[in-house]
Amino acid sequence: MHSPDSRPVVDGALAGTARRPVRGEPSALRVSRAMRRLVSSSAAREVAELTHVAEFIQQPVTTGRQIAVTSIRGGAGKTTVAALLGTAYAHYRQDPVLLVEADPALGSLPLRLGADALRWTTADLADIVEPQMSLLDVTGYLVQLPDNAWLLPGSQGRIGAMLSTSAYERVMVALRRYFGVTVVDCETLPAEVARVALSAAQARVLATPATLDGVTSTYAVLQWMRGLPRHMIAGTVVALTGTAPRPGIDVAAAAEKLRSTGAAVHVLPHDRHLAAGGALRTDLLARPTRLAAARLAAEVFQLSQKRR
């Protein structure tokens, strides 16, 4: 097969427009939080919880777990949630972790993960991967990330890139045996590849903005999912993401309403670093964001272990 040319993730002229990454929370708030931790037992509780979360995520798998992340509409934080999950699994697990971009229409997962250049895509690999390939053979077509993680992009940033359901299924079936966990950044619903990814995955994450319209749309979809086989709703987690420092809804009440459908719900607080876009740097995330992302990753992985 003809080898495609490598293309930069961000055009050189645009790369110069990016500002310096900001921290997830203002310095005054960080200092205040640090002082409260010094005079309370919250630091010890936090360490204990992270240890517990790590134990969940580090459980061995007999076959690779595939976790699909999607949303009802664009701008819901879907790609950000996928990047947070993949980064968490790569940090805590010893086996290789794969992030797949099944959203070829100018998806931003490579940018979020800090990739510099792209060559092979999901559609390309569908025509290449063969059963006799080793992990070393396969990773030659992937983008290497930190912590033993790998990325399979959906496109090279070209408008009109396509991914068929048959190509997606070939890639996912072939790659499952190489990676302990695969996180798939899907198209928004009701795209066909997204529906296939959701039904084939062992766990699903529905990214939802913490807004009235976002929660309303997601609640309607969860109600629809209740009519599907039980494992669909039972294996679904809603990531309710803060879009502003002061949300326009009662987030706790909205989360409880969504839980009434049978799905799990985790709240990801507003974070200045995530809201600014660009490459995800976990060291710049606010402490509450890191904890919330770790809890989300642990529960999603636990749900994926319940389905073979």
Side-chain angles (χ1 to χ4, degrees):
M1 180 178 178
H2 172 69
S3 175
D5 295 329
S6 179
R7 293 172 59 90
V9 173
V10 180
D11 183 271
L14 293 176
T17 66
R19 292 181 175 177
R20 182 178 178 180
V22 297
R23 288 190 173 274
E25 55 188 357
S27 57
L29 184 56
R30 293 200 309 274
V31 171
S32 173
R33 194 185 303 280
M35 293 299 294
R36 289 198 303 270
R37 294 175 75 245
L38 285 175
V39 298
S40 69
S41 59
S42 61
R45 289 197 304 270
E46 182 180 307
V47 171
E49 182 179 5
L50 282 175
T51 301
H52 190 55
V53 163
E55 291 173 351
F56 275 127
I57 297 177
Q58 291 167 353
Q59 292 179 33
V61 295
T62 53
T63 56
R65 304 289 87 189
Q66 294 181 356
I67 296 165
V69 183
T70 190
S71 62
I72 310 302
R73 64 188 68 185
K78 168 181 65 70
T79 297
T80 298
V81 171
L84 286 171
L85 288 175
T87 301
Y89 295 134
H91 175 73
Y92 286 109
R93 295 189 62 81
Q94 297 299 314
D95 49 5
V97 171
L98 176 65
L99 291 101
V100 174
E101 187 177 47
D103 184 0
L106 296 181
S108 57
L109 186 60
L111 175 61
R112 263 313 202 192
L113 294 172
D116 294 322
L118 309 175
R119 176 171 290 174
W120 304 95
T121 68
T122 307
D124 293 331
L125 202 57
D127 298 323
I128 297 173
V129 67
E130 297 178 355
Q132 68 270 23
M133 282 183 167
S134 66
L135 175 62
L136 184 61
D137 294 328
V138 169
T139 54
Y141 297 100
L142 306 177
V143 178
Q144 187 169 10
L145 303 170
D147 291 329
N148 205 24
W150 303 85
L151 165 67
L152 179 56
S155 73
Q156 288 188 323
R158 293 188 177 98
I159 295 176
M162 298 296 291
L163 176 64
S164 66
T165 56
S166 59
Y168 173 80
E169 289 173 330
R170 286 200 304 274
V171 167
M172 298 306 290
V173 169
L175 296 184
R176 185 174 178 179
R177 67 188 181 93
Y178 299 103
F179 300 93
V181 179
T182 298
V183 177
V184 185
D185 180 15
C186 302
E187 297 172 287
T188 55
L189 290 171
E192 188 176 5
V193 173
R195 295 200 306 269
V196 170
L198 290 176
S199 62
Q202 285 77 43
R204 290 150 292 280
V205 179
L206 201 56
T208 303
T211 60
L212 183 58
D213 54 339
V215 171
T216 301
S217 300
T218 299
Y219 182 72
V221 170
L222 293 175
Q223 290 283 61
W224 167 76
M225 290 179 67
R226 295 179 71 178
L228 302 177
R230 172 63 186 166
H231 72 269
M232 289 294 291
I233 193 73
T236 297
V237 179
V238 176
L240 191 56
T241 58
T243 58
R246 183 177 176 83
I249 61 171
D250 184 333
V251 176
E256 196 59 35
K257 183 64 174 178
L258 295 175
R259 289 190 187 99
S260 69
T261 63
V265 179
H266 280 261
V267 177
L268 292 175
H270 177 262
D271 187 288
R272 296 193 313 171
H273 176 62
L274 294 180
L280 170 65
R281 284 182 49 182
T282 54
D283 61 309
L284 295 182
L285 292 175
R287 185 177 298 276
T289 307
R290 291 200 298 270
L291 289 172
R295 296 187 193 109
L296 173 64
E299 174 145 12
V300 174
F301 182 75
Q302 281 294 99
L303 290 177
S304 76
Q305 288 280 62
K306 296 179 179 180
R307 182 165 174 80
R308 300 304 172 188

